[in-house]
Amino acid sequence: MDNARIADTFDHIADLLEFTAANPFRVRAYRNGARTVRDLGEPAADILADENRKLTDIDGIGKDLAGKIAALVAGDRVPLLDELTAKVPESALAMMRIPGVGPKKAAALFKELGIATLDELRAACEAGRVRGLKGFGAKTEQTILAGLSLAEQADVRMLWAEADVEAQRVLAHLRGYPGVRELEMAGSYRRGRETVGDLDVLAVADDVDALMDHFGKLDDLDTVIGRGDTKMSVRLGSGVQIDLRVVPEESFGAALQYFTGSKDHNVAVRSLAKKEGLKINEYGVYRGDEYVAGRTEKDVYATLGLPLFPPEIREARREFDWAAAGELPKLIEADDIVGDLHMHTHATDGRASIEEMAAAAKKRGLRFIAITDHSKRVSMANGLDAARALAQWKEIDEINARADDGFLILKGIECDILEKGGMDLPDDVLAEADWVVASVHYGQNQPREQITERILGALENPHVSAIAHPTGRIVNRRKPYEVDLEAVFAAAKKHHKFLELNANPHRLDLDDVACAAAKDRGIPIVINTDAHSTEGLGVLRNGILQARRAGLTKQDVANARGWTQMKKLLGK
Ligand code: DGT
Ligand code: CA
Ligand code: CA
Ligand code: ZN
């Protein structure tokens, strides 16, 4: 079992423990364990296999967790997990992922109303039966109903980043068969959508049957859903479905174009073909019965006078207008990014020191970073008060003074926007920072006017540089808070502020549509990782995909510039 799955298992155990009202310290031990394993940076199995090393040498891994990791790696059962699973129905667990429910409320719903499925929960809320429970009200019922649709969707769509792990594994496995001549992942995965329903892989092979046999030998294969002459579908243990299609060489480009989608994009392509007297399908482009193209995607689009659209913009939004005008944007790439302006250190809830974060960022090719630990309102994360923030910035000055490599660390902070409005730290403190990202972490259920006012207030503050994760949404888990984005755009524009595209695959906030809208209004986007560890810097690619889906170019992204240029944009 790999680190990600071990971490998921620990999170799952923590969920179950919470549901059964276990000791909170025990719950936290599993949560921390999950995080540690997820960020390990090398397979836990490798450490276990090395007789000179011990898992218990790692911070946060005690004897108990180490034993469970060993069991999971060996494929053994974990008795605690079996015990807990027997006590809590899986469907009841799904309830606690609904925003506003949580483990305690889920347990109450289960024990007192006998609600064990999302369907039953919806019915109970609609019938007004839930508001009678202690700790629940009519408002809770509404929140639950709103969250239910998200929870239901989360059951069927995985995050792109999760799909990526499986996609890379499947591609590597298929490449292991020597008779593969072409291999490409298509579908929503290739388009970089934030969530992916299933994986669609295309291949050209010397021997279709042999390739399918090989596909059937994938590690962690759960079921073969179906197998025909050209298509085979399987489900993995992780629940992911994969459709493999093996096509003739002369159809590969046409198939790749077709199965990359999106469906709406393809509908538009087909109607353009029709106007040209051509027919297009997954086998090729045809004039009557005559095959005219299909070997590559480029050929396919070229027969229609269209450019090779980057997959990320194939959503039937603006790509055809851009093509008609000959103005396809040159989309931003990861290498264009030179600074990362949102990350945490172990002063708050991060795991590494300032210098470790800087060294890791430098290794990734960045020229500058901002350290933005939490402010004191986020007490759970040991947020910084004025004195600690000032001390940290003094330390940063010293580190910068010692450095001889031109790498710059900005004195930053992720300052909370208080529930009642206003910033969590006084202006004279914020004035000492180079860079301030302002965040709404609390009071996310406030009415639209109130949340909007809070954010507008932050944008008016002369020391604030950007709004972090501006809508607060968590993909598949939590809807955006109510906010008037148009008003936020207008204020950001007026005060020369940036809006963040938070690259964490769970956030991706602003999303592609909102980023495109911000671009239209001339507001620079800053793509940040919000890393809590050195590995966390790697999520930049998720942000880049989302930015590309928004049609952003290097010019639209603030941190594709050096810090001097960024300051100019901020009017400093
Ligand atoms: P997903 O899996 O729900 O995240 O989204 P996709 O886009 O990967 O959709 P999927 O797996 O159902 O099909 C892959 C691509 O195949 C899709 O993006 C476009 C193409 N496709 C599938 N069915 C149709 C169809 O009925 N008409 C057209 N024009 N294209 C289709
Ligand atoms: Ca798909
Ligand atoms: Ca599919
Ligand atoms: Zn943060």
Side-chain angles (χ1 to χ4, degrees):
M1 193 180 268
D2 65 14
N3 289 355
R5 297 285 294 281
I6 296 170
D8 289 347
T9 307
F10 284 171
D11 269 329
H12 187 61
I13 291 177
D15 285 349
L16 290 162
L17 284 170
E18 263 192 297
F19 190 93
T20 55
N23 182 330
F25 288 103
R26 204 156 164 233
V27 175
R28 197 166 321 146
Y30 281 99
R31 292 253 186 258
N32 290 341
R35 202 149 63 111
T36 305
V37 173
R38 199 168 277 125
D39 294 344
L40 215 46
E42 62 179 316
D46 288 1
I47 301 175
L48 280 165
D50 185 341
E51 56 190 33
N52 296 318
R53 299 171 66 196
K54 286 200 299 268
L55 279 173
T56 45
D57 291 341
I58 302 165
D59 250 5
I61 305 275
K63 246 171 109 180
D64 177 55
L65 287 183
K68 293 202 168 64
I69 293 172
L72 290 168
V73 166
D76 293 340
R77 301 209 68 87
V78 174
L80 172 66
L81 182 58
D82 289 341
E83 246 171 67
L84 288 165
T85 310
K87 271 194 236 169
V88 186
E90 180 65 31
S91 53
L93 207 58
M95 292 198 296
M96 63 180 268
R97 302 211 183 90
I98 298 168
V101 178
K104 278 201 194 102
K105 285 200 166 92
L109 290 163
F110 178 59
K111 283 185 197 127
E112 299 185 29
L113 294 179
I115 295 171
T117 69
L118 297 183
D119 283 343
E120 288 168 12
L121 181 58
R122 180 186 293 281
C125 285
E126 281 167 356
R129 284 198 295 130
V130 168
R131 68 187 69 175
L133 279 183
K134 192 166 168 261
F136 292 76
K139 181 124 188 276
T140 327
E141 272 176 354
Q142 278 167 19
T143 316
I144 293 175
L145 282 171
L148 267 170
S149 50
L150 272 180
E152 283 158 355
Q153 171 191 307
D155 278 351
V156 291
R157 298 191 67 82
M158 66 202 130
L159 297 187
W160 186 91
E162 292 164 358
D164 181 46
V165 174
E166 298 293 19
Q168 294 310 322
R169 202 162 66 77
V170 169
L171 290 174
H173 174 79
L174 289 174
R175 266 187 221 111
Y177 168 72
V180 172
R181 278 186 277 143
E182 293 278 5
L183 192 65
E184 207 61 77
M185 205 49 87
S188 54
Y189 171 79
R190 183 163 181 244
R191 302 198 310 281
R193 237 188 111 172
E194 61 200 28
T195 61
V196 170
D198 69 358
L199 290 172
D200 306 278
V201 58
L202 292 180
V204 174
D206 294 337
D207 182 338
V208 178
D209 270 327
L211 179 63
M212 287 187 176
D213 288 346
H214 181 72
F215 187 49
K217 289 187 198 124
L218 250 175
D219 264 357
D220 193 31
L221 186 111
D222 183 62
T223 15
V224 175
I225 300 166
R227 175 169 173 171
D229 291 341
T230 61
K231 181 181 170 188
M232 176 166 164
S233 296
V234 305
R235 188 177 301 283
L236 301 184
S238 58
V240 182
Q241 183 180 323
I242 307 163
D243 297 337
L244 166 69
R245 291 182 178 85
V246 193
V247 300
E249 187 136 28
E250 69 274 13
S251 294
F252 184 70
L256 186 56
Q257 194 286 321
Y258 182 90
F259 290 110
T260 295
S262 68
K263 218 181 240 180
D264 292 341
H265 175 88
N266 286 353
V267 168
V269 167
R270 260 202 313 268
S271 84
L272 284 173
K274 213 167 161 189
K275 279 192 204 133
E276 303 283 326
L278 296 165
K279 200 181 82 193
I280 177 169
N281 58 31
E282 61 265 51
Y283 303 105
V285 185
Y286 299 85
R287 188 179 306 280
D289 289 339
E290 182 207 353
Y291 165 95
V292 280
R295 176 65 189 89
T296 70
E297 263 194 323
K298 194 162 182 242
D299 299 344
V300 169
Y301 279 118
T303 54
L304 307 174
L306 292 170
L308 178 61
F309 294 105
E312 294 93 336
I313 57 170
R314 300 186 195 172
E315 297 289 348
R317 288 177 185 159
R318 291 192 215 170
E319 68 269 31
F320 297 104
D321 295 340
W322 286 332
E327 287 170 357
L328 209 58
K330 188 176 176 317
L331 302 181
I332 182 98
E333 290 173 23
D335 284 348
D336 295 330
I337 301 293
V338 291
D340 185 348
L341 294 114
H342 184 167
M343 67 185 67
H344 300 261
T345 73
H346 57 201
T348 60
D349 57 351
R351 301 168 58 79
S353 66
I354 298 168
E355 283 170 296
E356 285 164 342
M357 293 306 283
K362 196 178 146 192
K363 217 163 132 193
R364 288 178 180 274
L366 297 184
R367 302 208 307 258
F368 64 103
I369 57 170
I371 297 294
T372 56
D373 271 313
H374 287 291
S375 63
K376 63 186 193 303
R377 174 66 185 88
V378 191
S379 51
M380 252 170 46
N382 192 24
L384 306 180
D385 58 17
R388 286 178 66 217
L390 291 166
Q392 189 189 56
W393 296 338
K394 186 157 168 272
E395 192 188 343
I396 291 176
D397 278 337
E398 287 161 8
I399 297 172
N400 278 328
R402 279 201 300 276
D404 50 8
D405 53 5
F407 190 88
L408 177 67
I409 308 173
L410 299 176
K411 295 175 281 186
I413 188 135
E414 178 175 14
C415 187
D416 258 60
I417 303 171
L418 299 174
E419 288 99 310
K420 60 179 188 338
M423 303 299 290
D424 189 20
L425 290 173
D427 278 358
D428 61 336
V429 174
L430 295 181
E432 298 296 314
D434 300 312
W435 170 262
V436 176
V437 283
S439 297
V440 169
H441 287 123
Y442 296 92
Q444 296 199 5
N445 288 326
Q446 289 173 356
R448 185 178 168 94
E449 297 70 37
Q450 198 175 355
I451 293 191
T452 305
E453 276 310 311
R454 288 166 67 193
I455 295 176
L456 296 188
L459 285 166
E460 279 159 23
N461 184 303
H463 308 298
V464 168
S465 325
I467 304 294
H469 37 74
T471 76
R473 66 103 173 235
I474 305 289
V475 181
N476 272 354
R477 296 283 278 266
R478 192 168 73 205
K479 289 203 160 139
Y481 41 66
E482 294 288 337
V483 57
D484 179 353
L485 268 187
E486 276 310 328
V488 170
F489 289 152
K493 176 84 186 159
K494 178 169 169 211
H495 300 290
H496 304 283
K497 303 292 161 87
F498 304 147
L499 294 177
E500 181 179 76
L501 192 186
N502 190 294
N504 186 302
H506 294 273
R507 286 196 181 271
L508 296 172
D509 181 11
L510 297 173
D511 71 8
D512 48 359
V513 175
C515 279
K519 171 189 169 143
D520 286 345
R521 288 150 186 77
I523 300 154
I525 295 293
V526 51
I527 307 176
N528 293 325
T529 62
D530 199 356
H532 285 66
S533 65
T534 53
E535 291 83 16
L537 296 168
V539 302
L540 179 67
R541 57 200 289 257
N542 300 282
I544 294 293
L545 276 177
Q546 191 80 348
R548 289 171 64 84
R549 290 176 57 78
L552 300 194
T553 68
K554 206 172 150 174
Q555 280 69 42
D556 305 318
V557 176
N559 51 331
R561 295 169 173 75
W563 174 234
T564 314
Q565 292 301 314
M566 281 187 78
K567 270 196 293 196
K568 276 193 194 148
L569 283 180
L570 288 168
K572 282 194 184 167

